[in-house]
Amino acid sequence: LVIFTWPKGKIIDFSLITESSSFKFFSNVGDKKLFWSKISNPSNLQILIKIFFILVLNLYDINPYNIMAIKSLQTLVSEAIQEIKTINADEALKMVDDDNCNLIDIREVRELENTGKVEKSVHIPRGMLEIYLDPNSALFQQGVLDQNKEMVLFCAGGVRSALAVKALKNMGYEKISHIEGGFGSISQSKFKIV
């Protein structure tokens, strides 16, 4: 598959290279070498297939060079931090004392067993967070969590909670934050560990 794009990335042509195609160098865009292929007497079906794929790729703004790009954890966390609200342990403690938030511990069970549970927190492991924070879940129906209060998440160090807050924002949660430094900073604050 050879893809021809404008420098801004919009796909304007592509060809499947076969033995019967002529293959010529066309252009450089950044590090990408673009080529074009010419098929002698293409059929109407070949033309329709080509037009269909060009429209689909452009409609969904798919960059064929980045389809398989994998971001590092550091990149994901950095991007999440730019989009979410981060508070410190003292701010979280004040919100808990004023009964203005749901304090949610997203660490794994073994972590709680090893280090203890934060008083007045609700334990929801990260892997179950979206399920338990569904508005129709038992935690809301039974009054364990209050949708009108801010959701304040923490993990061991702040990485998982940052990503979790971003995921919950994508679900539609607006009043949501995470504690910078996670349990590490909580254990150094006035929070009570039980």
Side-chain angles (χ1 to χ4, degrees):
L1 176 66
V2 176
I3 298 170
F4 176 68
T5 62
W6 285 113
K8 291 187 178 184
K10 289 295 178 190
I11 298 165
I12 61 171
D13 196 9
F14 78 92
S15 292
L16 295 171
I17 305 304
T18 65
E19 289 181 23
S20 62
S21 298
S22 62
F23 187 67
K24 296 181 180 177
F25 173 71
F26 183 78
S27 175
N28 276 333
V29 177
D31 293 338
K32 309 289 185 246
K33 291 187 180 189
L34 302 178
F35 298 86
W36 63 277
S37 171
K38 183 172 134 187
I39 300 173
S40 308
N41 301 322
S43 69
N44 287 340
L45 180 60
Q46 288 172 315
I47 293 169
L48 285 173
I49 290 171
K50 180 183 276 194
I51 291 169
F52 171 77
F53 280 107
I54 291 170
L55 289 172
V56 168
L57 292 172
N58 283 321
L59 178 67
Y60 292 102
D61 202 24
I62 297 171
N63 181 343
Y65 299 113
N66 292 331
I67 289 174
M68 296 302 292
I70 298 174
K71 295 181 181 180
S72 69
L73 176 62
Q74 183 179 9
T75 300
L76 286 174
V77 173
S78 295
E79 289 175 357
I81 294 292
Q82 299 300 316
E83 299 176 30
I84 65 171
K85 179 180 173 185
T86 301
I87 62 174
N88 63 40
D90 293 334
E91 291 170 308
L93 181 60
K94 180 166 177 25
M95 292 175 75
V96 169
D97 288 344
D98 294 343
D99 197 26
N100 288 332
C101 73
N102 300 290
L103 184 63
I104 302 173
D105 185 343
I106 65 166
R107 296 177 298 152
E108 297 299 320
V109 172
R110 277 178 264 146
E111 291 175 280
L112 272 72
E113 291 170 354
N114 291 335
T115 59
K117 183 180 184 299
V118 177
E119 188 176 62
K120 297 183 182 177
S121 69
V122 176
H123 179 241
I124 304 174
R126 172 62 189 102
M128 299 299 292
L129 192 63
E130 290 85 352
I131 295 166
Y132 288 162
L133 289 184
D134 180 289
N136 298 314
S137 77
L139 292 177
F140 290 113
Q141 304 302 321
Q142 297 169 2
V144 175
L145 297 175
D146 184 346
Q147 268 187 305
N148 298 313
K149 296 178 183 177
E150 184 164 334
M151 305 289 171
V152 177
L153 277 58
F154 70 92
C155 61
V159 171
R160 288 173 289 174
S161 59
L163 296 174
V165 167
K166 185 171 187 252
L168 293 176
K169 277 188 74 173
N170 291 342
M171 279 181 71
Y173 280 92
E174 294 176 2
K175 296 190 308 186
I176 187 152
S177 59
H178 87 115
I179 300 174
E180 184 176 24
F183 184 80
S185 66
I186 287 172
S187 64
Q188 300 300 313
S189 71
K190 294 180 181 176
F191 269 102
K192 185 174 180 184
I193 311 300
V194 292

